[in-house]
Amino acid sequence: YPKEEAPTQSSASLSALIAPFRDASFRRAVIFYGLWVFCMGLDGPFYSIFMLDRLHLSYTEISIYNACFMASSIAGFRMWSGLVDRFGSKAVLQILLLPASLIPLLWVFNRPDAYYLVPVAMVLNGLILSSITVSMTPLVFGLLPNGTQKMFYLASWSAAVSLVGALGPLVGSFLAHALRDVNTVILGFPVGNLQLIFLISVVARLAPVVALNFVHNTKSEPSVGLLSQMLRGNVLGYAYNTIVFGLAKSADSRARAAYAMGRSGNPLAIEQLVQALVDASPKVRRSAARALGETASTSATGALVQELLNGESDIRSEAAEALGRLGHAEGIDSLIEALEDGDPRVRISAISGLAAVHGEEVHELLFWHFGSAFDRLTFPTLIDVLSERGDKRIVGPALRHLDDFGSGAVRMQLLNGVCRALGAGDQFYRLLSHDDTERGDAVTRVIKGAAAILCCSRNLAPACRDALQQPCQELVLAYEEDHAERGLEAIRQIVPLVRDGLLVKQGQAKEALTVYVAILAVNIFLASKTRAELPVAQEIFLAVCLDRMAKLVKEIKS
């Protein structure tokens, strides 16, 4: 700090201590906070007496409730400090001062056999009153001038607030003495002098609520904006996970809390999550990036774009997928650029991110990228993405590149994508997930259903239906007897019969084309060199393709 001249004797005179009160903004702040401290002192000394003397609580119970108050106060400091930094002290105070003024009402309706509201009041006191405590320091420091006058402003503030606040317990004691003989019943609860003081405190606290409107805060946004953000999404989920994130010490706990904050849908989480992108733990950074993708807010886009474009960042993949979930224009442009990134993980994540963006333009962009130079690293992801969109144009290329992959898992991923593109949904994957006995029965049922549709479909020529009877019976028998070669031979006979016997009328070209795509899928797969290396996947894939072919034939309008 720069050195300042020592105050002269004249500057430390009484007039220097009075000078701050000539500042209207300072004077209004003193009046507001002095009134609030006065009202707090009016009833503050009587809560412990009320619990001991009127409710007959034990010291142990009171200690537990005080511990709850302290714990909720710590949580409140964590939670409200970030909001004060973002929106200013006055906005936070305007929202919470009125609820804080009503808390003494919870103390009125208690009796020795029913004091359930006491712990509620203690917890709310800690959560809400902590906001007032944490808001006042920046508000006061915002009123201080530069130079040596700061010390006089602080001294005058402390003296004035303390003097006014000291009157609170004094007035409260006179009220307690004056109302000592009062005893009444309200809503079945006995009300004595202490409860009346609590009610008087509620009314008195309205004065600082009004006085706050005249306080000037250099850094303050409208309280309406803060309130609208506070009430969006899952407020309790956001508040709880904010507290956990602030208090947790382990990276796993902070990472889970960060992701939960994003899932809460509350916009107040965004700034905390953006700050968490530079957390020392990679787990927290990754979780924060994913969480920003869940916020659905445009304000999260900029930080994610910076991470995606930062070549040294280790969360570029998570940032790309999060930008896709957000789906904002600025993020989409960055994802398109990332399709040509040198890091294959970023390219894959960019594809996944764009997959979450709806619209025909993005779809065609992905297909254009799919149709460009073959990239073994991104090809399976493109198959997944485009198949989920039902793009049948991927069927041929996916099956032709089946031999280019040595991994059985990737091959099955491609086959699953082809089945999805044909409209089978997750049928291939579900059948693959069965155990051997269940799978055999399920595949046989699929084959029987497909054979029954083909043999009686009016969209096939009568001669074709007659010719299909024998190979369809052979196919069903082969599956029942687990005779793979006989089944393949039957399929080789069925496919050309359907192709040549399909009856297509004017205006049915699109429907007929989908049937031919399914036929193409079977023919290309049968010609594949590696199909024999996947006997289970081969059985399921052909069954699904035949099922789709039969249903697509049936769906052609007569």
Side-chain angles (χ1 to χ4, degrees):
Y1 294 96
K3 292 183 178 180
E4 297 181 351
E5 294 182 3
T8 62
Q9 185 175 0
S10 60
S11 65
S13 63
L14 181 62
S15 61
L17 293 172
I18 298 175
F21 293 99
R22 299 191 185 99
D23 184 339
S25 297
F26 180 82
R27 190 168 61 249
R28 291 167 186 165
V30 168
I31 293 172
F32 155 68
Y33 197 56
L35 286 173
W36 178 256
V37 176
F38 170 83
C39 295
M40 293 291 291
L42 188 67
D43 59 351
F46 299 111
Y47 290 114
S48 296
I49 298 173
F50 181 71
M51 288 188 284
L52 284 169
D53 186 58
R54 307 299 166 84
L55 300 182
H56 308 299
L57 300 186
S58 66
Y59 287 106
T60 301
E61 287 181 286
I62 296 175
S63 298
I64 292 173
Y65 294 152
N66 281 325
C68 293
F69 169 77
M70 295 299 297
S72 61
S73 296
I74 294 171
F77 287 132
R78 292 278 189 173
M79 182 169 59
W80 300 118
S81 59
L83 296 180
V84 171
D85 284 341
R86 289 179 58 186
F87 296 94
S89 298
K90 188 174 179 179
V92 175
L93 290 171
Q94 284 178 320
I95 291 174
L96 295 177
L97 205 61
L98 183 59
S101 302
L102 299 176
I103 289 178
L105 281 176
L106 298 176
W107 289 89
V108 174
F109 302 104
N110 292 279
R111 57 177 183 252
D113 61 330
Y115 50 89
Y116 311 112
L117 293 178
V118 170
V120 176
M122 295 292 277
V123 171
L124 289 178
N125 254 327
L127 285 174
I128 297 179
L129 296 185
S130 60
S131 70
I132 299 172
T133 304
V134 80
S135 297
M136 287 310 301
T137 299
L139 188 147
V140 172
F141 275 84
L143 297 173
L144 301 182
N146 295 323
T148 58
Q149 287 297 310
K150 284 183 180 180
M151 65 181 72
F152 299 114
Y153 269 71
L154 288 173
S156 299
W157 172 273
S158 179
V161 170
S162 298
L163 287 172
V164 175
L167 296 176
L170 183 63
V171 174
S173 65
F174 281 115
L175 288 173
H177 180 73
L179 301 172
R180 63 185 181 278
D181 297 326
V182 174
N183 285 290
T184 185
V185 176
I186 300 177
L187 300 176
F189 291 90
V191 175
N193 62 336
L194 297 187
Q195 285 128 307
L196 286 177
I197 293 175
F198 299 156
L199 289 173
I200 292 171
S201 175
V202 171
V203 177
R205 293 186 190 198
L206 297 179
V209 171
V210 175
L212 177 62
N213 295 319
F214 301 97
V215 174
H216 175 67
N217 186 202
T218 55
K219 178 187 177 182
S220 182
E221 296 187 18
S223 58
V224 175
L226 172 58
L227 186 61
S228 66
Q229 294 193 43
M230 288 180 64
L231 298 180
R232 286 166 58 185
N234 185 347
V235 181
L236 293 179
Y238 161 72
Y240 171 76
N241 287 289
T242 298
I243 294 170
V244 172
F245 185 82
L247 297 177
K249 302 302 179 185
S250 70
D252 290 336
S253 298
R254 286 170 62 83
R256 286 193 297 270
Y259 187 69
M261 277 195 288
R263 293 292 301 272
S264 71
N266 192 294
L268 295 176
I270 294 175
E271 184 170 334
Q272 292 170 280
L273 293 173
V274 169
Q275 293 174 358
L277 292 176
V278 294
D279 194 272
S281 168
K283 290 182 180 179
V284 176
R285 293 197 297 270
R286 288 193 293 269
S287 185
R290 296 189 187 102
L292 285 170
E294 303 289 340
T295 60
S297 174
T298 55
S299 57
T301 303
L304 290 171
V305 168
Q306 289 181 1
E307 291 296 328
L308 178 58
L309 300 180
N310 182 3
E312 296 182 355
S313 174
D314 63 343
I315 57 171
R316 298 180 69 205
S317 296
E318 289 79 6
E321 295 183 13
L323 286 169
R325 286 193 293 273
L326 290 175
H328 301 139
E330 180 185 356
I332 294 174
D333 292 340
S334 300
L335 289 175
I336 294 172
E337 294 179 12
L339 291 174
E340 305 297 333
D341 196 90
D343 188 340
R345 294 172 300 176
V346 174
R347 296 201 300 272
I348 292 171
S349 296
I351 293 169
S352 299
L354 287 170
V357 180
H358 300 289
E360 192 62 26
E361 291 182 358
V362 173
H363 185 169
E364 291 303 318
L365 171 67
L366 288 170
F367 182 77
W368 175 83
H369 191 70
F370 171 80
S372 59
F374 174 68
D375 183 351
R376 292 180 69 256
L377 297 174
T378 61
F379 187 80
T381 304
L382 284 165
I383 291 294
D384 268 349
V385 166
L386 293 171
S387 67
E388 288 178 355
R389 292 172 174 250
D391 195 329
K392 297 177 175 60
R393 294 174 294 180
I394 69 166
V395 170
L399 293 171
R400 291 189 185 96
H401 285 292
L402 198 62
D403 298 338
D404 294 327
F405 296 92
S407 169
V410 175
R411 290 174 180 174
M412 286 188 287
Q413 180 181 347
L414 297 181
L415 294 177
N416 187 42
V418 169
C419 292
R420 274 206 305 262
L422 292 174
D426 291 329
Q427 187 180 19
F428 177 88
Y429 185 79
R430 289 198 306 271
L431 292 172
L432 194 65
S433 301
H434 288 320
D435 59 36
D436 292 342
T437 302
E438 292 179 344
R439 183 170 55 246
D441 293 339
V443 171
T444 301
R445 286 195 298 271
V446 171
I447 289 295
K448 286 181 178 179
I453 293 173
L454 290 174
C455 290
C456 63
S457 176
R458 295 182 177 275
N459 292 319
L460 295 175
C464 174
R465 294 200 298 270
D466 294 338
L468 282 170
Q469 298 292 332
Q470 182 62 31
C472 283
Q473 292 176 5
E474 288 290 331
L475 178 62
V476 173
L477 188 60
Y479 268 86
E480 289 178 339
E481 297 178 354
D482 196 19
H483 201 299
E485 290 303 321
R486 284 173 57 190
L488 291 176
E489 183 58 34
I491 291 173
R492 289 191 178 95
Q493 296 177 33
I494 292 172
V495 170
L497 287 172
V498 175
R499 180 194 62 204
D500 298 335
L502 188 63
L503 299 176
V504 182
K505 299 178 182 178
Q506 186 176 3
Q508 297 177 335
K510 184 177 180 179
E511 291 86 346
L513 182 60
T514 58
V515 177
Y516 292 139
V517 172
I519 293 172
L520 176 68
V522 174
N523 288 333
I524 296 176
F525 182 72
L526 290 175
S528 172
K529 298 176 182 178
T530 58
R531 63 173 178 77
E533 299 175 13
L534 304 168
V536 175
Q538 171 184 266
E539 178 184 80
I540 296 173
F541 179 77
L542 290 174
V544 173
C545 286
L546 285 176
D547 181 58
R548 286 305 302 155
M549 182 177 66
K551 290 177 179 176
L552 289 169
V553 169
K554 182 180 179 180
E555 290 171 5
I556 297 177
K557 296 180 181 179
S558 303

